[in-house]
Amino acid sequence: MAWVLNSIMEILNRPNTWRIVSDLLLFVSPIWLAVFIGLLVGWTWKPDWAVEFLNRNGGGSEKKVLGLGPETLPTWRFLPKCDFWKQREEKTESRLEEDKNDRKLAVTGADFLHLYRLVEETDEGPTWQHMMDRSLPNMSYQAWRREPENSPTQYRSSTIFENATPEQVRDFFWDDEFRISNKWDDMLIHYQILEECRTTGTMIVHWVRKFPFFCSDREYIIGRRIWNLEGTYYCVTKAVPCSAIQRRNKPRRVDVYFSSWCIRAVESRRSGGQKTACEVMLFHYEDMGIPKEIAKLGIRQGMWGCVKRIEPGLRAYQLACLPSRPDPLSQINTKIKQDYITTFENARYLEEDVMTEGSESEDGESKGKAGPVQKLPKILLIGGAMVLACSLDQGLLTKAVIFGVARRFVWPRKRV
């Protein structure tokens, strides 16, 4: 800023008026050149997304917002027209529509996103504390836990099975009939499929699990669904409401339940870097209606005993070759790609913006946030105040007065 002021003062001190004018024009010529190039590129390129963005946030028609209607802008066809952002917006809106349809199901994309963040450790939850590290000849197991506020204790585990494919392990964990007949999960004593969707593979299942003699059995109404993200399976299982089965005193229903897996191929410890092993990352928590400390002690004591029965059950399932049911729902997955996560999050943010802008207060005034066009005068006022304050070398008091006046205009006090 000081260099600019010194240059201007030096030009104004020229003895000849014509020299002053010519030097000033030369001094500002880069700015005018940049403005001219910007106008030329804007008129030539004429991106549709920019006009639509201004119209949407400005609240006027195409011709009212800065006079930039489609008919007023000339177009030269030798430059490509910008349609990247338009395609991206259409893709986001399409994802928003899919999300609305998805919400009609028992398990939705938001549940997948929650599991994905748990796997990637981006859920911003408490730190995981290591609990256990055990192994068998063909299986290794590690477990962690953490205790969020106002939530049951959460458990995370990583189990690696040698000589197993993700598809085999996926079908194995989804096969309740084999789970009961083989008794590798000896707590499950009853299951019934209440609803199923042959398009997405979503299902609602009724479980009854046997608890120790000092507790009554527990009843679960769970929703299930699997996402296939480029060969990695995200299997979501959670408690869902269901009116088909009435609530009873015994067995006692568990309303808070989340038990989901991420199943993927990993390198084997034996086969020199080849991905012939399968890792299962389990995230589990539930409110069983038992005091928290007693539940933690029971889970810690019985965890390895339950886990080590999984590996013989999996080997028996591999020998059986076929699932217990023909055409199992575990093989009907929602196939997605990595950009699904980004577009899904954008769709949710877009929907939140639409809901915010569309809501009205009791007196009928819109409560939506002001768009960029409405914020433009405030931005200019703040920028002008900063330039003025930095230009005047009159001490801190003058700068404080300038910023105080600008703040009064930008953020006026609300009267009660």
Side-chain angles (χ1 to χ4, degrees), residues 52-215:
E52 294 174 2
F53 177 78
L54 290 174
N55 294 332
R56 186 188 309 122
N57 291 277
S61 63
E62 290 183 346
K63 295 184 179 181
K64 288 182 180 179
V65 179
L66 304 180
L68 296 179
E71 298 83 359
T72 62
L73 295 177
T75 302
W76 290 277
R77 296 301 179 187
F78 60 86
L79 286 179
K81 194 174 182 180
C82 175
D83 59 352
F84 170 77
W85 290 102
K86 184 175 181 180
Q87 292 177 358
R88 183 172 181 178
E89 182 179 354
E90 291 175 351
K91 191 174 183 180
T92 301
E93 291 177 351
S94 174
R95 180 65 63 194
L96 177 59
E97 187 65 26
E98 292 179 10
D99 183 35
K100 289 180 179 178
N101 296 330
D102 188 68
R103 289 185 182 183
K104 300 176 182 178
L105 300 173
V107 185
T108 67
D111 300 311
F112 158 76
L113 193 61
H114 175 56
L115 176 59
Y116 178 84
R117 288 171 175 168
L118 287 172
V119 174
E120 300 297 324
E121 298 186 26
T122 58
D123 63 314
E124 300 180 355
T127 304
W128 293 98
Q129 300 176 357
H130 192 265
M131 287 179 57
M132 187 178 298
D133 191 344
R134 303 286 179 87
S135 63
L136 293 173
N138 291 313
M139 184 187 80
S140 61
Y141 178 78
Q142 294 186 72
W144 300 261
R145 76 180 179 193
R146 67 182 184 182
E147 299 190 24
E149 296 182 2
N150 304 320
S151 175
T153 303
Q154 298 181 359
Y155 295 90
R156 168 192 170 195
S157 66
S158 172
T159 309
I160 298 179
F161 299 100
E162 297 288 340
N163 302 318
T165 65
E167 290 74 19
Q168 290 174 340
V169 177
R170 174 202 64 190
D171 295 345
F172 168 70
F173 279 112
W174 234 238
D175 196 330
D176 290 334
E177 187 171 339
F178 185 84
R179 186 187 288 252
I180 291 179
S181 62
N182 182 264
K183 295 185 179 180
W184 68 264
D185 182 2
D186 58 357
M187 293 183 66
L188 183 64
I189 59 177
H190 169 79
Y191 89 96
Q192 178 186 359
I193 298 176
L194 303 178
E195 298 179 17
E196 60 182 28
C197 174
R198 285 285 166 181
T199 302
T200 63
T202 305
M203 57 193 306
I204 298 179
V205 183
H206 178 222
W207 270 6
V208 177
R209 296 179 66 83
K210 184 178 180 180
F211 271 54
F213 68 93
F214 56 85
C215 296

